[in-house]
């Protein structure tokens, strides 16, 4: 072959290659419409690259990413070039599912769990290298960094670093404590018996007694209880009405005092015992689960329950509507504010403004870690939040000025569907926020929803020692767990089976001290004073 022909061929190839590079460069400079993504990929790259599959884990997530053509799933795939493999379990079995999955070495790429609420386990995951230290990478993801900064005080519990993302409960509330739990009361029973909505602990007792003894359902049978619960923990607002708790400390004369062994707790336990002995409280209050508690309230077996507030209102409304189609649900139940104590005080213990953590696997490939982080950052952005709340503009909603107007269909009950009902992939939002303060202008019963649990949301009592960390070499977390387990086991026995209450109470206090409570008390006080709390 002649040399001149070879040169022309080489030049032609080089020119063609240069044109391709230039075209690719021009394409890469273009941005997608709306907010820019966090992946840094150009649309041409996303179109050509195989989506990265993330294994994600959450409870009750069996419908997430079920259909690859569903609108939210498609939008997330196009935005981030990811697809999902979902591991899930019902909430009642989720703890076991997570522990078994991680123990097997199959750490999901992205999953949620308790975090500092299960501190010993959380720290063991850190020690084993299962979870990615988010503090080390957050500077590349502004929305993750902003969220972590809100909870910096908790990082000291894990050597100054965040290894998980606290999932925000109320994104629009700047408060050290939030809580919307409330007491629900059968309004139709109140009306029949001529009773007011209880606002004090004494009125609560009177209403409960009347519901149990005065035939509020009118069937001439003694088959109703004034109050039911699902485990002792949910009775904490009653303990709060006696100005006490299971696990908090109060400061008195410069010292920190555990509330659980104080006389106020004895009074609260005696109050519940009296209700139990007089058959005013449902004897199955310990073995009920949440669903059973609610079913007993709706079906008319119990007249009062304590449960979630704001967004549970419409769930309860729908349950009454289904059970009593010929009646107005608003005539059948009502919620209270915070119960006033005998001394005239109001207290409802609040919780830090997060619940659960989201973790990224430290065992995942760098590519999967990057995609998991990009997803979290996107979900925390305005664009991501709007997508998960409203769906696709023009398909699921329209804009009227700054207002979003849902165009989703009305269901057979006359209720407008939500985007999560259309596409459960919108539940991905729950990896960054529960969005508890979002109430659409079009939400049914909007006024009742906003007022439900409002008093607790606005004035919950903060735990002054929350987030304080005691070195596990000084105080083993197992001691605290054993003491906590002992509290709940023994208080239930005092309510259900004590024959000599005063004597059994004194035995409880002494055993609490002997089983590790004294050590927990000493170290808590020492640490709290060292931190000038």
């Amino acid at each position: 072959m002649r040399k001149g022909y070879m040169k022309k061929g080489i030049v032609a190839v080089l020119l063609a290659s240069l044109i391709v590079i230039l075209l690719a460069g021009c394409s890469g400079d273009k941005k997608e419409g709306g907010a820019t993504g966090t992946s840094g990929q150009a649309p041409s790259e996303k179109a050509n690259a195989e989506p990265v599959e993330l294994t994600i884990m959450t409870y009750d997530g069996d419908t997430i990413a079920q259909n690859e053509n569903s609108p939210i799933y498609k939008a997330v795939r196009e935005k981030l070039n990811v697809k999902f493999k979902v591991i899930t379990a019902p909430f009642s079995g989720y703890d076991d599912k997570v522990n078994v999955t991680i123990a097997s070495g199959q750490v999901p790429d992205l999953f949620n769990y308790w975090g500092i609420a299960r501190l010993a386990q959380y720290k063991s995951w850190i020690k084993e290298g299962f979870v990615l230290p988010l503090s080390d990478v957050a500077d590349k993801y502004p929305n993750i960094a902003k969220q972590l900064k809100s909870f910096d005080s908790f990082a000291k519990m894990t050597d100054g670093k965040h290894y998980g993302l606290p999932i925000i409960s109320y994104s629009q509330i700047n408060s050290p404590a939030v809580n919307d739990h409330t007491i629900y009361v059968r309004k139709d029973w109140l009306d029949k018996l001529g009773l007011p909505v209880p606002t004090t602990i004494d009125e609560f007792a009177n209403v409960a007694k009347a519901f149990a003894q005065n035939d509020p359902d009118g069937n001439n049978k003694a088959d109703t209880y004034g109050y039911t619960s699902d485990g002792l923990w949910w009775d904490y607002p009653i303990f709060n009405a006696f100005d006490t708790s299971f696990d908090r400390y109060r400061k008195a004369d410069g010292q920190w005092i555990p509330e659980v062994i104080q006389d106020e707790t004895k009074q609260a336990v005696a109050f519940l015992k009296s209700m139990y002995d007089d058959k005013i409280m449902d004897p199955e209050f310990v073995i009920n689960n949440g669903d059973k508690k609610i079913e007993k309230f709706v079906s008319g077996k119990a007249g009062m329950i304590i449960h979630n507030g704001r967004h549970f209102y419409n769930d309860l409304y729908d349950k009454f509507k289904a059970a009593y189609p010929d009646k107005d649900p608003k005539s059948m139940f009502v919620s209270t504010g915070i119960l006033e104590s005998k001394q005239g005080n109001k207290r409802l213990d609040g919780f830090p403004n997060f619940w659960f953590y989201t973790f990224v696997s430290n065992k995942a490939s760098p590519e999967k870690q990057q995609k998991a982080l990009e997803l979290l950052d996107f979900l925390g952005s305005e664009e991501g939040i709007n997508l998960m709340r409203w769906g696709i503009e023009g398909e699921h909603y329209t804009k009227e000025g700054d207002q979003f107007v849902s165009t989703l269909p009305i269901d057979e009950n006359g209720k407008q569907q939500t985007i999560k009902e259309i596409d459960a992939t919108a539940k991905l939002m729950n990896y960054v926020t529960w969005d508890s303060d979002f109430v659409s202008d079009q939400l049914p019963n909007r006024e009742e929803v906003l007022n439900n649990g409002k008093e607790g949301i606005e004035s919950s009592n903060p735990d002054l020692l929350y987030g304080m960390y005691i070195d596990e070499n000084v105080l083993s977390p197992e001691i605290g767990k054993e003491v906590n387990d002992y509290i709940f086991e023994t208080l239930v026995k005092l309510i259900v089976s004590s024959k000599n209450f005063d004597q059994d109470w004194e035995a409880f206090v002494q055993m609490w001290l002997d089983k590790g409570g004294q050590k927990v008390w000493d170290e808590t006080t020492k640490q709290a004073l060292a931190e000038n709390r």
Side-chain angles (χ1 to χ4, degrees):
M1 186 178 292
R2 289 180 299 175
K3 293 171 73 175
Y5 185 84
M6 289 178 63
K7 287 180 181 178
K8 289 179 182 179
I10 292 171
V11 170
V13 170
L14 290 174
L15 284 172
S17 300
L18 181 59
I19 290 170
V20 169
I21 291 170
L22 289 172
L23 287 173
C26 292
S27 173
D29 286 340
K30 294 179 181 178
K31 305 277 188 180
E32 290 184 68
T36 57
T38 54
S39 68
Q41 287 181 307
S44 59
E45 293 176 298
K46 293 180 181 179
N48 295 327
E50 184 68 23
V52 176
E53 182 178 78
L54 293 178
T55 299
I56 64 174
M57 188 171 187
T58 188
Y59 66 88
D60 296 334
D62 50 307
T63 54
I64 293 176
Q66 200 173 51
N67 178 2
E68 291 190 357
N69 292 316
S70 60
I72 305 300
Y73 195 7
K74 284 177 68 177
V76 173
R77 286 189 60 168
E78 291 171 7
K79 184 72 181 179
L80 300 173
N81 198 37
V82 292
K83 60 181 181 179
F84 303 111
K85 176 183 177 182
V86 182
I87 302 174
T88 189
F91 183 73
S92 59
Y94 186 66
D95 282 21
D96 290 339
K97 183 78 170 182
V98 171
N99 292 325
V100 169
T101 301
I102 292 179
S104 70
Q106 304 300 312
V107 184
D109 301 318
L110 191 72
F111 66 103
N112 50 28
Y113 200 61
W114 292 98
I116 61 173
R118 302 279 194 276
L119 185 59
Q121 185 174 49
Y122 181 14
K123 290 174 77 71
S124 73
W125 288 352
I126 294 170
K127 185 177 180 180
E128 295 294 327
F130 289 148
V131 289
L132 183 71
L134 296 185
S135 294
D136 292 349
V137 297
D139 59 335
K140 300 176 183 177
Y141 304 95
N143 297 307
I144 293 176
K146 180 181 177 182
Q147 191 153 327
L148 290 178
K149 187 172 179 58
S150 299
F151 301 101
D152 266 351
S153 61
F154 301 132
K156 62 187 176 185
M157 302 174 74
T158 48
D159 303 320
K161 287 186 179 182
H162 290 285
Y163 289 80
L165 183 72
I167 303 173
I168 293 175
S169 297
Y170 294 84
S171 57
Q172 300 172 42
I173 294 177
N174 183 20
S175 172
V178 292
N179 186 357
D180 74 346
H181 294 163
T182 190
I183 301 173
Y184 291 97
V185 188
R186 286 293 298 251
K187 186 177 184 302
D188 54 339
W189 291 10
L190 290 174
D191 293 343
K192 183 176 187 300
L193 300 178
L195 297 168
V197 176
T199 59
T200 70
I201 188 64
D202 286 340
E203 289 174 357
F204 175 90
N206 291 337
V207 168
K209 182 177 181 180
F211 282 177
Q213 298 178 354
N214 294 350
D215 192 27
D217 57 355
N219 67 354
N220 297 314
K221 296 179 182 178
D223 59 352
T224 57
Y225 294 101
Y227 169 69
T228 192
S229 183
D230 55 313
L232 185 63
W233 184 88
W234 271 105
D235 298 323
Y236 80 88
I238 295 174
F239 282 74
N240 287 174
F242 286 86
D243 197 20
T244 191
S245 68
F246 303 121
D247 56 359
R248 294 197 178 189
Y249 285 67
R250 67 176 62 152
K251 198 170 188 179
D253 299 324
Q255 297 296 313
W256 287 94
I257 311 297
E259 292 186 328
V260 71
I261 59 172
Q262 304 309 310
D263 190 58
E264 292 87 349
T265 304
K266 180 181 180 182
Q267 294 172 27
V269 176
F271 175 84
L272 290 173
K273 177 172 178 55
S274 175
M275 290 179 63
Y276 181 89
D277 290 346
D278 293 340
K279 295 181 172 52
I280 294 170
M281 184 164 69
D282 175 17
E284 296 181 333
F285 79 98
V286 178
I287 62 173
N288 289 332
N289 59 25
D291 290 340
K292 190 66 176 176
K293 173 182 74 176
I294 295 163
E295 186 275 326
K296 286 183 175 182
F297 180 66
V298 173
S299 67
K301 297 299 181 185
M304 291 189 287
I305 60 171
I306 299 171
H307 203 62
N308 299 326
R310 180 161 286 184
H311 287 285
F312 183 66
Y313 182 91
N314 276 339
D315 290 343
L316 194 54
Y317 180 96
D318 291 344
K319 291 180 187 299
F320 271 99
K321 187 174 182 178
Y324 308 93
D326 58 333
K327 295 183 180 180
D328 178 6
K330 293 181 185 180
S331 72
M332 301 195 71
F333 76 97
V334 66
S335 66
T336 72
I338 300 173
L339 290 177
E340 188 177 291
S341 71
K342 291 177 182 292
Q343 291 73 37
N345 302 319
K346 284 190 173 186
R347 170 178 171 179
L348 184 69
D349 285 349
F351 311 101
N353 194 12
F354 72 92
W355 184 70
F356 254 40
Y357 273 53
T358 293
F359 298 99
V360 176
S361 171
N362 204 29
K363 302 295 185 181
S365 68
E367 181 183 40
K368 291 192 173 190
Q369 287 180 354
Q370 179 182 336
K371 286 299 178 186
L373 292 165
E374 288 173 2
L375 174 63
L376 292 180
D377 204 61
F378 171 68
L379 293 173
S381 70
E382 183 178 359
E383 181 186 5
I385 289 171
N386 286 338
L387 175 66
M388 299 298 155
R389 281 180 179 172
W390 297 101
I392 311 296
E393 185 172 7
E395 183 176 351
H396 303 124
Y397 71 92
T398 59
K399 291 287 291 291
E400 294 180 2
D402 293 333
Q403 186 178 12
F404 290 74
V405 179
S406 175
T407 57
L408 292 174
I410 306 298
D411 65 19
E412 64 275 10
N413 297 315
K415 179 182 175 184
Q416 187 163 55
Q417 292 180 297
T418 66
I419 191 61
K420 289 179 181 178
E421 292 170 322
I422 300 294
D423 181 1
T425 306
K427 292 180 181 179
L428 287 173
M429 175 187 271
N430 295 345
Y431 278 110
V432 299
T433 178
W434 302 105
D435 211 24
S436 296
D437 43 5
F438 170 63
V439 179
S440 166
D441 290 340
Q442 298 163 274
L443 188 73
N445 308 312
R446 187 173 190 272
E447 183 177 349
E448 288 82 4
V449 169
L450 285 172
N451 288 327
N452 207 38
K454 181 179 179 181
E455 191 173 13
I457 293 171
E458 294 178 345
S459 58
S460 297
N461 184 50
D463 183 351
L464 299 179
L465 297 185
Y466 194 88
M468 187 181 76
Y469 174 60
I470 301 174
D471 192 310
E472 60 188 36
N473 295 315
V474 174
L475 180 67
S476 169
E478 290 304 313
I479 295 178
K481 183 179 182 304
E482 289 172 8
V483 170
N484 190 63
D485 290 345
Y486 173 74
I487 289 170
F488 283 92
E489 290 169 4
T490 309
L491 294 188
V492 167
K493 289 178 182 177
L494 284 169
I495 293 168
V496 171
S497 59
S498 175
K499 302 301 182 186
N500 188 330
F501 183 77
D502 289 337
Q503 180 178 312
D504 290 345
W505 172 260
E506 293 303 319
F508 159 72
V509 172
Q510 188 59 52
M511 187 62 73
W512 181 88
L513 294 167
D514 294 343
K515 286 182 73 69
Q518 183 68 64
K519 183 170 179 58
V520 174
W521 183 0
D522 291 344
E523 297 302 334
T524 298
T525 298
K526 187 185 300 183
Q527 185 67 28
L529 294 177
E531 295 182 10
N532 295 316
R533 298 215 184 197

